[in-house]
């Protein structure tokens, strides 16, 4: 659970910074280009929809408009709509003698497939894009995420190795590899990477939480405990982070507070299977006061 949640978090953070496919202003869809320059993705989508309705675009331009719209929808966390827009782009290319050659189109469609848990198709698109974009941090983040979600932790580590070389000063690079190391049972390496992430982002709740969690897995709960407390101070409404503190407290014998926090974590994240399991395990012993 901890690894999965963390990878998903940094997947979302990376996605928010996805660059637009189109780079040069155009007489057509001018409003959309202006919105792109403002990083206003909602306005990009609206402007491109209006452009499609009013302009007589040739098939190649129409493909790019739909691809650009899909990328903006991705950044708005609307992956199902993004996939519909990508479907239009690929259908036009297939039926009207247009081409899809830009690797970012495959990268961004792969991201949308990953967000909808269609990992087989995500992997196909991301690997195709990687051949042309071997050091793209966004692509590598999502490719490693897909490998992690499909029980291919060793391949995830390889991808995150490359990500660290591409983006060594981004805490997410180290956090994701730490997560993959945990999946492989390489706890010492996971702790080391989590420490590096905290060095890069000392106030970040997720970085602190990863160090907290890896230390717990390394049976060093007393060392983990103050770090877990800092993580909760940074993000008190994050169920996974509250759960980590509860686990540290239970491991150090502070069971009364631990059981209360397991219940609090369950309230914050009731659908998380690990949080739910610990809540059910401890609920009968919970001494939480009203």
């Amino acid at each position: 659970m901890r690894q999965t949640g963390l990878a998903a978090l940094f997947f979302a953070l990376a996605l928010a910074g996805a660059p637009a496919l189109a780079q040069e202003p155009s007489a057509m869809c001018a409003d959309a280009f202006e919105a792109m320059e403002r990083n206003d993705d909602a306005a990009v989508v609206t402007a491109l929809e209006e452009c499609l309705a009013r302009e007589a675009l040739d098939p190649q331009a129409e493909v790019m408009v739909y691809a650009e719209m899909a990328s903006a929808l991705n950044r708005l966390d609307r992956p199902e709509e993004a996939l519909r827009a990508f479907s239009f782009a690929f259908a036009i290319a297939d039926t009207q003698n247009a081409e899809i050659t830009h690797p970012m189109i495959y990268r961004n469609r792969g991201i949308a497939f990953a967000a909808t848990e269609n990992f087989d198709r995500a992997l196909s698109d991301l690997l195709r894009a990687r051949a042309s974009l071997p050091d793209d941090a966004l692509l590598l983040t999502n490719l490693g995420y897909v490998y992690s979600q499909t029980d291919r932790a060793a391949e995830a580590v390889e991808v995150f190795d490359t990500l660290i070389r591409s983006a060594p000063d981004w805490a997410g690079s180290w956090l994701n590899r730490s997560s993959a190391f945990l999946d492989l049972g390489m706890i010492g390496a996971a702790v080391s990477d989590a420490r590096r992430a905290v060095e890069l982002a000392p106030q970040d709740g997720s970085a602190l939480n990863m160090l907290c969690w890896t230390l717990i897995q390394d049976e060093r709960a007393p060392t983990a405990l103050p770090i877990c407390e800092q993580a909760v101070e940074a993000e008190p409404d994050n169920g996974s982070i509250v759960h980590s503190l509860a686990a540290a407290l239970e491991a150090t014998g502070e069971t009364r507070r631990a059981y209360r926090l397991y219940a609090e974590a369950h309230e914050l994240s009731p659908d998380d299977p690990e949080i739910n399991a610990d809540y059910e395990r401890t609920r009968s012993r919970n001494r939480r006061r009203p």
Side-chain angles (χ1 to χ4, degrees), residues 78-89:
R78 294 157 61 180
E80 293 87 357
E81 294 172 73
L83 287 173
R84 285 195 289 273
F86 280 124
S87 293
F88 280 114

Side-chain angles (χ1 to χ4, degrees), residues 152-205:
R152 298 168 68 173
E155 288 160 291
V157 167
E158 179 272 322
V159 170
F160 292 137
D161 284 344
T162 305
L163 177 61
I164 285 171
R165 290 193 294 272
S166 298
D169 296 328
W170 180 45
S173 301
W174 300 90
L175 285 168
N176 277 292
R177 194 174 70 171
S178 176
S179 171
F181 277 141
L182 271 186
D183 285 339
L184 286 174
M186 297 174 64
I187 297 174
V191 171
S192 178
D193 276 7
R195 286 195 188 280
R196 179 59 180 147
V198 170
E199 289 173 3
L200 291 168
Q203 306 301 317
D204 182 81

Side-chain angles (χ1 to χ4, degrees), residues 25-178:
S26 169
M28 289 186 177
C29 307
D31 291 346
F33 282 103
E34 292 174 4
M36 290 173 200
E37 291 179 354
R38 301 194 307 271
N39 295 316
D40 186 344
D41 288 312
V44 169
V45 172
T46 299
L48 291 175
E49 288 173 339
E50 292 173 352
C51 181
L52 286 167
R54 73 172 182 264
E55 301 281 4
L57 302 175
D58 64 56
Q60 190 63 52
E62 198 169 5
V63 164
M64 295 307 295
V65 166
Y66 274 113
E68 192 68 67
M69 183 189 303
S71 298
L73 288 164
N74 256 352
R75 295 190 295 272
L76 290 167
D77 195 23
R78 294 157 61 180
E80 293 87 357
E81 294 172 73
L83 287 173
R84 285 195 289 273
F86 280 124
S87 293
F88 280 114
F90 278 81
I92 293 165
D94 288 342
T95 60
Q96 299 187 43
N97 199 32
E99 293 182 337
I100 294 181
T101 58
H102 203 304
M104 284 190 182
I105 296 178
Y106 289 97
R107 181 200 70 178
N108 291 347
R109 190 176 69 166
I111 290 169
F113 279 132
T116 57
E117 299 187 0
N118 189 337
F119 295 125
D120 288 341
R121 296 196 68 179
L123 185 60
S124 177
D125 275 358
L126 292 170
L127 288 175
R128 178 168 181 163
R130 191 185 186 188
S132 300
L133 302 168
D135 299 318
D136 183 271
L138 176 60
L139 186 154
L140 294 168
T141 301
N142 286 278
L143 179 58
Y145 169 74
V146 170
Y147 280 138
S148 294
Q149 294 301 293
T150 53
D151 298 321
R152 298 168 68 173
E155 288 160 291
V157 167
E158 179 272 322
V159 170
F160 292 137
D161 284 344
T162 305
L163 177 61
I164 285 171
R165 290 193 294 272
S166 298
D169 296 328
W170 180 45
S173 301
W174 300 90
L175 285 168
N176 277 292
R177 194 174 70 171
S178 176

Side-chain angles (χ1 to χ4, degrees), residues 239 260-271 275 279 288:
R260 178 172 61 80
L261 288 177
Y262 280 135
E264 183 177 325
H266 182 262
E267 290 175 3
L268 292 167
S269 301
D271 297 325
I275 290 174
Y279 170 66
R288 188 178 184 187

Side-chain angles (χ1 to χ4, degrees), residues 233-255:
E233 288 176 9
E235 293 189 40
D237 297 324
N238 185 307
S240 292
I241 292 177
V242 173
H243 176 268
S244 295
L245 175 57
L249 288 165
E250 185 177 23
T252 55
E254 296 187 49
T255 55

